[in-house]
Amino acid sequence: MDNTKMHKSLGIDLKAHDTLIRALPELFKECFLNKEQDLKSLSYFYSVVADIHGTRVKELIEHKNKGPVIGSFCIYVPEEIILAIGGQLVGLCAGADFWVPYGEQIVPKNLCPLIKAGIGAKFSKTCPYFQVIDLLIGENTCDGKKKAWEILSDMVEMYIMDMPNKKSNSGLKLWQEEVKSLCNFLEKKFSKPISFDSLLKAVQKVNAKRSALNRLYETRKNSPTPISGIDTLLVTQIGFYDDTERYTKMVETLAKECEEKALSNSKSNDKKRILVTGSPMVVPNWKVHHVIETSGADVVVEENCTGTRYFKDNVSIENSLAKEDLLKNISDRYIRNINCACFSPNTDREEEILKICKDYKVDGIVYASLSFCTTYMIEAEKIRKVAKKNNIPMITVESDYSFSDLGQLRTRIEAFIENL
Ligand code: BJ8
């Protein structure tokens, strides 16, 4: 499909966009098509990525006749509220190295690549998702993001959610107020009042998406795992921008196929089982998974925002009789159950990682931080201590989106796997 006309209408810099999009098929081939893979239901997810700046963008443009398209960079932004006003939430990817030099024209080089790529994507006018959104919701999590919003707000309309630093009673209260304020702001801005019914429906939809992902991840507890880590990462990444209901159905279908494959599998496998944890890995950042899985191990689970943190707990609907009850449950689910390193202390994450290691029979942890992601890099020390105490080997790697460190990364990861 030729998307030139559509991209032009969005104000895309067509020449620069061509360079960006030309690099993707090669990378995709290297990471996905060159490996063995026998799950039929994955073809949907592969086709979504192959057409990344096509059909979905068109759908979002069409959606704008019915409701807003809203962007975000963080899993603390509650999708339920956006769906309840008839909107669509798009997680802006910011995972491509292509955008980093554009970002570095504006912000310091020693910032994490996610922030630089996010700013670069907007500045270079090469991301159709960034061009299509009516509003970007930011959140005061890490310092880099907080300050990035000030720059991005000159290029796109923004709403910022304030975040507590502690999960104390006052922190929980602050977040409850923030969730309510977001709701009031969106209702007013888009003249779409949120009723109890519309919010309940939205909660059920997002809960169903989380449950489907949970079902898929459960199958990875089998040995051998029926689905590779890199394929599961891709599936989760797509959840950030695909249509929620369609995506849920496709994940359910894939999970069912994985369950059947696991049941009928009589072969055993002596591959080491790896947990990847740390900073989020957004499309098309597949680097660490690719290196681990082409070094002879299986990534069986990710404790990060493009892994279990994205879907792990549902919003409770029990005893919810009014919109206010649901808003409180939404705020509780997000603040209590997402263990981002921006919180201090963040001891729940230590417990969560140990539990995951046990449930998924993990042999070793790869702690992957994005370069200059200070919060996750510092927190690695806490996790290292906990892992050591529990005799779980762990390696810490720090990387950006470029491929210049691929050789070094491979050498370290191969040595780590060999010693497990
Ligand atoms: S809930 S991890 S999505 S804030 S990688 S920009 S932390 S310097 S993305 Fe995150 Fe929400 Fe937390 Fe998850 Fe800063 Fe680190 Fe960059 Fe990061």
Side-chain angles (χ1 to χ4, degrees):
M1 190 171 77
D2 184 7
N3 299 311
T4 315
K5 213 170 145 198
M6 175 174 76
H7 289 161
K8 214 171 169 184
S9 74
L10 291 171
I12 295 271
D13 176 339
L14 296 175
K15 207 168 152 216
H17 180 261
D18 261 10
T19 318
L20 162 69
I21 219 69
R22 240 181 282 130
L24 194 66
E26 206 36 56
L27 180 65
F28 189 70
K29 189 171 155 210
E30 168 74 19
C31 293
F32 294 90
L33 305 181
N34 285 349
K35 66 177 173 54
E36 272 179 40
Q37 173 326 84
D38 56 3
L39 293 163
K40 283 195 200 80
S41 336
L42 270 176
S43 59
Y44 168 74
F45 300 95
Y46 283 13
S47 70
V48 170
V49 172
D51 185 30
I52 194 158
H53 286 179
T55 308
R56 183 62 185 143
V57 177
K58 190 167 173 264
E59 284 178 359
L60 291 172
I61 295 174
E62 284 163 7
H63 178 83
K64 280 156 83 84
N65 297 321
K66 292 184 270 170
V69 178
I70 295 179
S72 100
F73 274 104
C74 181
I75 61 166
Y76 277 112
V77 175
E79 184 178 357
E80 292 84 351
I81 297 178
I82 283 92
L83 292 183
I85 54 153
Q88 293 268 310
L89 181 66
V90 178
L92 295 164
C93 346
D97 197 39
F98 174 85
W99 288 317
V100 170
Y102 287 99
E104 286 177 350
Q105 290 178 38
I106 302 173
V107 291
K109 283 194 165 112
N110 58 351
L111 261 183
C112 95
L114 197 145
I115 296 174
K116 289 189 288 191
I119 291 178
K122 181 62 196 165
F123 180 60
S124 64
K125 297 198 181 97
T126 50
C127 174
Y129 293 97
F130 231 128
Q131 297 301 106
V132 94
I133 57 170
D134 298 294
L135 177 79
L136 172 61
I137 302 179
E139 55 347 288
N140 285 339
T141 44
C142 68
D143 286 351
K145 271 191 179 174
K146 263 181 231 168
K147 300 308 284 181
W149 308 142
E150 293 172 15
I151 290 169
L152 273 170
S153 57
D154 289 339
M155 307 183 212
V156 57
E157 187 171 350
M158 288 208 66
Y159 178 89
I160 317 282
M161 297 185 81
D162 200 11
M163 297 287 308
N165 290 313
K166 272 165 83 175
K167 293 183 185 179
S168 55
N169 283 341
S170 56
L172 298 185
K173 238 185 171 168
L174 168 80
W175 183 244
Q176 274 173 20
E177 288 305 314
E178 283 300 299
V179 170
K180 260 195 235 159
S181 304
L182 173 72
C183 185
N184 293 339
F185 170 81
L186 293 176
E187 284 180 305
K188 234 192 215 159
K189 173 156 181 64
F190 297 108
S191 313
K192 299 239 175 172
I194 297 179
S195 64
F196 171 72
D197 283 347
S198 65
L199 192 55
L200 180 64
K201 241 191 200 159
V203 167
Q204 286 165 333
K205 266 188 204 168
V206 186
N207 278 352
K209 167 157 93 173
R210 292 193 192 105
S211 301
L213 280 166
N214 200 42
R215 181 176 168 193
L216 175 66
Y217 275 58
E218 279 292 304
T219 68
R220 300 170 81 192
K221 292 180 179 170
N222 289 287
S223 182
T225 167
I227 180 165
S228 70
I230 198 164
D231 280 326
T232 322
L233 174 65
L234 181 81
V235 170
T236 313
Q237 288 170 334
I238 291 171
F240 284 74
Y241 64 97
D242 200 4
D243 173 79
T244 305
E245 281 180 279
R246 177 179 58 213
Y247 174 80
T248 303
K249 273 191 206 131
M250 300 318 289
V251 176
E252 288 283 359
T253 308
L254 175 62
K256 186 166 178 277
E257 192 181 352
C258 287
E259 285 161 359
E260 286 163 2
K261 184 176 165 186
L263 267 182
S264 65
N265 206 341
S266 52
K267 288 185 234 151
S268 63
N269 146 349
D270 56 3
K271 283 190 180 177
K272 296 298 176 192
R273 299 171 63 84
I274 304 293
L275 158 73
V276 170
T277 184
S279 318
M281 296 168 168
V282 288
V283 176
N285 180 15
W286 304 305
K287 192 167 153 182
V288 173
H289 279 60
H290 178 61
V291 171
I292 297 172
E293 296 196 323
T294 50
S295 299
D298 281 331
V299 176
V300 292
V301 60
E302 300 78 14
E303 191 279 328
N304 61 21
C305 292
T306 40
T308 53
R309 258 183 254 149
Y310 180 50
F311 62 81
K312 122 179 133 55
D313 298 285
N314 276 344
V315 170
S316 166
I317 50 172
E318 261 174 54
N319 305 321
S320 295
L321 301 171
K323 179 177 152 189
E324 287 63 37
D325 302 328
L326 284 175
L327 285 176
K328 185 180 169 301
N329 292 351
I330 290 170
S331 96
D332 275 2
R333 183 266 161 196
Y334 282 80
I335 204 73
R336 288 185 202 273
N337 301 331
I338 301 175
N339 300 319
C340 175
C342 296
F343 278 86
S344 179
N346 195 26
T347 40
D348 287 355
R349 180 165 173 236
E350 296 166 22
E351 284 156 34
E352 180 66 18
I353 286 178
L354 287 182
K355 185 178 178 302
I356 291 177
C357 283
K358 198 165 161 239
D359 291 352
Y360 286 80
K361 301 183 241 23
V362 164
D363 297 304
I365 301 175
V366 174
Y367 194 109
S369 293
L370 286 173
S371 315
F372 305 109
C373 174
T374 328
T375 49
Y376 279 94
M377 277 159 67
I378 296 175
E379 203 161 282
E381 175 57 13
K382 284 274 184 194
I383 305 299
R384 189 190 63 76
K385 276 191 184 150
V386 169
K388 192 169 175 214
K389 205 168 152 200
N390 289 276
N391 297 318
I392 309 166
M394 176 173 131
I395 184 176
T396 309
V397 297
E398 186 195 335
S399 189
D400 55 17
Y401 295 159
S402 77
F403 296 105
S404 56
D405 62 349
L406 213 55
Q408 192 206 38
L409 203 61
R410 185 172 293 284
T411 309
R412 290 191 60 217
I413 286 179
E414 274 176 0
F416 175 70
I417 294 168
E418 247 169 55
N419 286 322
L420 287 176

